[in-house]
Amino acid sequence: MIYLDNSATTKPYKEVLETYVTVSEQYFGNPSSLHSLGLEAEKVLTKSREVVAKLLGVQSKEVIFTSGGTEGNNLAIKGIALEHSSRGKHLITSVIEHASSYETFSELEKKGFEVTYLPVNQSGHISIEELKRALRSDTVLVSLIHVNNETGAAQPIEEIGKVLKEYPKVFFHVDHVQGITKVPVHLKNNHIDLCTISGHKFHGVKGTGALYVREGITLSPMLHGGVQEARFRAGTENVPGMAALAKALRMSTDKAQERKDHLIQLQQKAVNGLQEIDGVVVNSGIGDRHAPHIVNFSIPGAKPEVIIQALSHQQVYVSTKSACSSKLSSPSRILMEMGLGNKRAESAIRISFSYDTKNEEIEAFIKVMKKEVPKLLQVMR
Amino acid sequence: MIYLDNSATTKPYKEVLETYVTVSEQYFGNPSSLHSLGLEAEKVLTKSREVVAKLLGVQSKEVIFTSGGTEGNNLAIKGIALEHSSRGKHLITSVIEHASSYETFSELEKKGFEVTYLPVNQSGHISIEELKRALRSDTVLVSLIHVNNETGAAQPIEEIGKVLKEYPKVFFHVDHVQGITKVPVHLKNNHIDLCTISGHKFHGVKGTGALYVREGITLSPMLHGGVQEARFRAGTENVPGMAALAKALRMSTDKAQERKDHLIQLQQKAVNGLQEIDGVVVNSGIGDRHAPHIVNFSIPGAKPEVIIQALSHQQVYVSTKSACSSKLSSPSRILMEMGLGNKRAESAIRISFSYDTKNEEIEAFIKVMKKEVPKLLQVMR
């Protein structure tokens, strides 16, 4: 099996599942219960929060546990927009956000908010000048995806942070779901107010995530009820899930340090190999402004489902665009917005690595591609 | 260890955790991915949904997976209120709802909805006549907790369903979090449109739940993004969590059938024992109109935290009111609404059983109580 769909989801680390099971069995109490079983569960939750906070370089009380990236993005965007609407109803985002942000902004537009969608260039980057022009006195939020989930294009968060430092009333949310453990971002130094991460993207378990909310910021909650998660997110805490999240983040951060250049090498190898194949166009870039774990390419004229099936039969797993919208048979919104045209946007394939992906797996993938692509092109003619 | 806090949370069954781990390892794909790993994960999800649907007596497509009871209640109540507000803005609930419903209604009041909170009598039951009087032409939702989480009082869902059958435009939501596998309710026969359950209350894992939404009903989603869960709930599906939910529901339903009278016996034994102790007043009832797994009692004048700590030192785990509000040191809202007075509402203790709770555990609990309560009363004097 050659699994090259790590941006859709990753396999949980063995140690992460062990943590999950241990906590589920030994610390199964409800952290809100006052007896010692409850207190012990609460300690595990507190410890997990401390670990996540430390790895993010923030305070424990600034970490809100969620059920995943979609919830994090929804909570950050709606939470800020609805809570601070008296200050203004203008929001800024980009045209290449993940559906969990993009659809949330569409929803807010229906509720009377005005949204500026910053365009991107052919490499998938917004322009700092356009951002500056978009900022208004009634702007309350800038929300941007750091690493795009389809192309790996990384927005210049440091530069954006510098611009937003001059606008202390504008909140800055970063969708860091694809970036975390791949492209480091210092939350505190870059004027970031809110930041979303999702456990299953870095070998944690599904249904877990965290939202960093800078101290002092108030949010309108989506889930009302108990007083958990600083009242920002009611509901019995998923203690084993969050312990697993902390473990996965620690392990992935360690791997990122040990194997810093590994993903870059895999990416270079994949791009080189793909460029040798007739009919294949690489859509994503490499280097500083791109995450090292994603390569996006098209086979103009081919149906991506057919390529995916052909590769899947060889136990090579890749994807079309975002998993969250892969069942919608429309061209990739992201590639269209990059101006790559319908043919490329319709036939886009994404491969995505983890730190455990092997060089040989990329070689085998290229080998399979070299065999399958000519067959596909043959059929199409 | 004598764990009598099963209404706060239950210990996951060993087999449930095994299912969780197996699915996490072997079916870790994203169900939205088009390759075979994705399809296999989707099959597990579909199978889990079928199992839950069958056990609830509904169709698969009527089961929406959630992150738990709080999300289920929020989604049902806000989902209906916001989606159908053009038909009316009047909502009916009761004064003894769980915080995840109660606080959601408070929030909707701020948004211009009018909410009628039905009162309850001393046994914790609403009056059918009052419900009938409350129904108006602009009523869109009746949302009621089936089994109250503090007292075990079970609302007469069948009678309520009969009344609401005459009001086809009014949606009926049941918070079945404490009732499921303890007090059966036929969803289809009782005109129930929406029903919330939570996995960790019946030996599933935390962070899992389901909302039954009758076919054809539309809801305003809380989480926007991908097209998962019939577009009612975006986000990568928690496949292992939902497989665990299905497993737990099947096992608990089986136990409920095998050991039908076991909880009733435990409850009778506990009530008999408690009634023998000077200074203890039992607040909850037994019999048809009460769930068999909850007993609520007070030691007027005593601080419940002190009782909980004293029992906790003996490895007996019980709770004050609801876990979700146990850290708020106010009297129980539920007991106040039942008219039991401040003294009883301030000193209320809940014990709650699972099908695995043993007779000897109740005997041991009573023994500890008989030793500890006189000491506590001594200190108070």
Side-chain angles (χ1 to χ4, degrees):
Chain A
M1 180 176 93
I2 300 179
Y3 185 70
L4 300 178
D5 199 11
N6 289 282
S7 287
T9 195
T10 56
K11 186 172 182 178
Y13 287 136
K14 202 172 163 290
E15 296 86 341
V16 165
L17 285 175
E18 283 166 5
T19 295
Y20 185 93
V21 171
T22 303
V23 173
S24 291
E25 283 178 335
Q26 292 175 24
Y27 303 94
F28 71 89
N30 188 321
S32 299
S33 290
L34 300 176
H35 49 65
S36 60
L37 276 190
L39 299 179
E40 281 165 23
E42 196 193 19
K43 269 187 210 162
V44 173
L45 192 70
T46 301
K47 182 76 197 159
S48 306
R49 202 183 305 277
E50 282 166 6
V51 169
V52 172
K54 200 174 170 195
L55 291 166
L56 293 178
V58 304
Q59 300 177 73
S60 283
K61 61 182 165 189
E62 296 175 319
V63 173
I64 304 301
F65 286 133
T66 68
S67 73
T70 290
E71 186 184 322
N73 282 339
N74 272 258
L75 177 57
I77 297 165
K78 286 184 218 162
I80 289 292
L82 300 174
E83 180 81 3
H84 302 279
S85 61
S86 62
R87 258 168 52 188
K89 297 188 89 171
H90 179 240
L91 316 167
I92 299 174
T93 187
S94 85
V95 291
I96 57 150
E97 298 301 304
H98 183 265
S100 55
S101 289
Y102 202 76
E103 297 296 329
T104 300
F105 280 108
S106 300
E107 190 61 24
L108 287 171
E109 284 183 300
K110 290 181 204 155
K111 290 190 172 150
F113 287 85
E114 193 187 332
V115 182
T116 299
Y117 295 90
L118 299 173
V120 294
N121 60 16
Q122 283 227 346
S123 68
H125 296 95
I126 65 157
S127 136
I128 295 290
E129 289 312 309
E130 300 226 40
L131 168 64
K132 283 184 188 164
R133 276 198 297 276
L135 284 158
R136 308 187 326 204
S137 60
D138 62 340
T139 306
V140 289
L141 173 69
V142 172
S143 174
L144 291 168
I145 191 168
H146 174 208
V147 169
N148 181 269
N149 53 303
E150 292 189 27
T151 67
Q155 300 307 324
I157 297 296
E158 293 189 17
E159 284 178 72
I160 297 165
K162 255 179 224 157
V163 170
L164 294 177
K165 211 178 160 188
E166 308 302 314
Y167 294 81
K169 285 188 172 175
V170 177
F171 295 105
F172 182 24
H173 168 241
V174 173
D175 171 359
H176 199 30
V177 169
Q178 290 293 340
I180 183 93
T181 75
K182 312 294 182 346
V183 186
V185 158
H186 197 294
L187 300 182
K188 292 290 181 186
N189 290 355
N190 291 303
H191 189 71
I192 296 169
D193 296 305
L194 304 108
C195 178
T196 299
I197 64 170
S198 165
H200 78 101
K201 303 291 191 188
F202 49 83
H203 307 278
V205 300
K206 290 185 175 64
T208 65
L211 177 67
Y212 156 70
V213 181
R214 187 166 56 73
E215 189 183 1
I217 293 180
T218 54
L219 285 184
S220 172
M222 289 194 298
L223 296 178
H224 295 88
V227 297
Q228 296 94 345
E229 300 298 326
R231 286 185 188 268
F232 288 154
R233 206 267 180 197
T236 300
E237 299 93 334
N238 181 355
V239 184
M242 300 315 153
L245 179 91
K247 181 88 175 176
L249 188 56
R250 182 166 5 207
M251 286 181 69
S252 298
T253 305
D254 287 350
K255 289 222 183 192
Q257 303 223 308
E258 287 160 24
R259 320 193 69 183
K260 233 176 191 170
D261 299 327
H262 180 58
L263 296 180
I264 297 172
Q265 286 159 10
L266 294 178
Q267 188 181 41
Q268 187 68 63
K269 190 184 277 288
V271 169
N272 290 350
L274 287 167
Q275 280 171 339
E276 286 169 10
I277 306 171
D278 273 348
V280 172
V281 197
V282 175
N283 301 317
S284 58
I286 54 173
D288 279 356
R289 303 195 69 184
H290 294 274
H293 67 303
I294 295 176
V295 174
N296 189 301
F297 61 93
S298 296
I299 306 173
K303 284 201 170 143
E305 309 88 83
V306 179
I307 306 164
I308 287 173
Q309 292 315 325
L311 295 176
S312 186
H313 281 142
Q314 315 276 336
Q315 293 207 293
V316 176
Y317 305 111
V318 306
S319 59
T320 58
K321 46 191 183 181
S322 141
C324 284
S325 45
S326 62
K327 284 179 184 168
L328 306 171
S329 61
S330 48
S332 158
R333 168 172 56 82
I334 310 300
L335 299 194
M336 288 302 284
E337 293 289 358
M338 285 163 65
L340 301 188
N342 216 38
K343 282 221 155 180
R344 275 163 80 175
E346 271 175 357
S347 64
I349 298 282
R350 173 187 68 184
I351 58 172
S352 45
F353 322 128
S354 85
Y355 284 102
D356 302 314
T357 303
K358 296 186 183 67
N359 276 305
E360 304 86 75
E361 291 179 307
I362 302 302
E363 286 156 17
F365 159 70
I366 294 293
K367 207 171 153 191
V368 173
M369 284 289 289
K370 284 183 175 167
K371 209 177 90 191
E372 296 295 329
V373 172
K375 284 196 224 166
L376 285 166
L377 295 174
Q378 194 73 30
V379 173
M380 280 155 47
R381 268 166 209 140
Chain B
M1 180 176 91
I2 300 178
Y3 185 71
L4 300 177
D5 199 11
N6 289 283
S7 286
T9 194
T10 56
K11 186 172 183 178
Y13 287 136
K14 201 170 163 292
E15 295 86 342
V16 165
L17 285 176
E18 283 165 5
T19 295
Y20 184 92
V21 170
T22 303
V23 173
S24 291
E25 283 177 338
Q26 290 174 26
Y27 303 94
F28 71 88
N30 188 322
S32 299
S33 291
L34 300 176
H35 49 66
S36 60
L37 277 189
L39 300 179
E40 282 165 22
E42 196 193 20
K43 271 187 207 161
V44 173
L45 192 70
T46 301
K47 183 74 198 157
S48 306
R49 203 184 304 278
E50 282 166 8
V51 169
V52 171
K54 200 173 170 196
L55 291 166
L56 294 178
V58 303
Q59 300 176 72
S60 283
K61 62 182 165 190
E62 295 176 320
V63 173
I64 305 301
F65 286 133
T66 68
S67 72
T70 290
E71 186 183 323
N73 283 339
N74 272 258
L75 176 57
I77 297 165
K78 285 183 220 163
I80 288 293
L82 299 174
E83 180 80 3
H84 302 279
S85 61
S86 62
R87 257 167 55 188
K89 297 189 87 169
H90 179 238
L91 316 167
I92 298 175
T93 186
S94 85
V95 292
I96 57 149
E97 298 301 303
H98 183 265
S100 55
S101 290
Y102 202 76
E103 297 296 329
T104 300
F105 280 108
S106 300
E107 190 61 24
L108 287 170
E109 284 183 300
K110 290 180 204 156
K111 289 188 172 151
F113 287 85
E114 193 187 333
V115 182
T116 299
Y117 296 89
L118 299 173
V120 294
N121 60 17
Q122 283 227 345
S123 69
H125 296 95
I126 66 155
S127 138
I128 296 289
E129 289 312 309
E130 299 226 40
L131 168 65
K132 283 184 189 166
R133 275 198 297 276
L135 285 157
R136 308 188 325 205
S137 60
D138 62 342
T139 306
V140 289
L141 173 69
V142 172
S143 174
L144 291 168
I145 191 167
H146 175 209
V147 169
N148 180 268
N149 53 302
E150 292 189 27
T151 67
Q155 300 306 324
I157 296 297
E158 292 189 18
E159 285 178 72
I160 297 165
K162 254 180 224 156
V163 171
L164 294 178
K165 210 177 161 187
E166 307 303 315
Y167 294 80
K169 287 189 174 175
V170 177
F171 294 105
F172 183 22
H173 168 242
V174 173
D175 170 0
H176 200 29
V177 169
Q178 291 292 339
I180 183 94
T181 74
K182 311 298 182 345
V183 186
V185 157
H186 198 294
L187 300 182
K188 293 288 180 185
N189 290 354
N190 291 303
H191 189 70
I192 296 170
D193 297 304
L194 304 109
C195 179
T196 299
I197 64 169
S198 165
H200 77 101
K201 303 291 192 189
F202 50 83
H203 308 279
V205 299
K206 290 184 175 65
T208 65
L211 177 67
Y212 156 70
V213 181
R214 187 166 56 73
E215 189 183 0
I217 292 180
T218 53
L219 285 184
S220 172
M222 289 194 298
L223 296 179
H224 295 88
V227 297
Q228 296 94 343
E229 301 297 328
R231 287 186 188 267
F232 289 155
R233 206 266 181 199
T236 300
E237 300 93 334
N238 181 355
V239 184
M242 300 315 154
L245 180 91
K247 182 86 176 179
L249 188 57
R250 179 159 18 201
M251 286 181 68
S252 298
T253 306
D254 287 351
K255 289 223 182 191
Q257 303 224 308
E258 287 160 24
R259 322 192 68 181
K260 232 176 191 171
D261 299 327
H262 180 59
L263 296 179
I264 297 172
Q265 285 159 11
L266 294 178
Q267 187 181 43
Q268 188 67 63
K269 189 184 279 284
V271 169
N272 290 350
L274 287 167
Q275 280 171 338
E276 286 168 11
I277 305 172
D278 273 349
V280 172
V281 196
V282 175
N283 301 316
S284 58
I286 53 174
D288 280 354
R289 303 195 69 185
H290 294 273
H293 66 303
I294 295 178
V295 174
N296 188 302
F297 60 93
S298 296
I299 306 173
K303 286 201 168 141
E305 309 89 82
V306 179
I307 306 164
I308 286 173
Q309 291 316 325
L311 295 176
S312 185
H313 282 141
Q314 315 277 334
Q315 293 206 294
V316 177
Y317 305 111
V318 306
S319 60
T320 56
K321 46 190 182 181
S322 142
C324 285
S325 45
S326 63
K327 284 180 183 168
L328 305 171
S329 60
S330 48
S332 157
R333 168 172 57 83
I334 310 300
L335 300 193
M336 289 302 285
E337 294 289 358
M338 286 162 65
L340 301 188
N342 216 37
K343 282 220 154 178
R344 275 163 79 175
E346 272 175 356
S347 64
I349 298 283
R350 173 187 69 184
I351 58 172
S352 45
F353 321 129
S354 86
Y355 285 101
D356 302 313
T357 304
K358 295 186 183 69
N359 275 305
E360 305 87 75
E361 291 180 308
I362 302 302
E363 286 156 17
F365 159 70
I366 294 293
K367 207 172 154 189
V368 172
M369 285 290 288
K370 283 182 174 167
K371 209 178 90 191
E372 296 296 329
V373 172
K375 284 196 223 166
L376 284 167
L377 295 174
Q378 193 75 31
V379 172
M380 280 153 49
R381 268 167 208 139

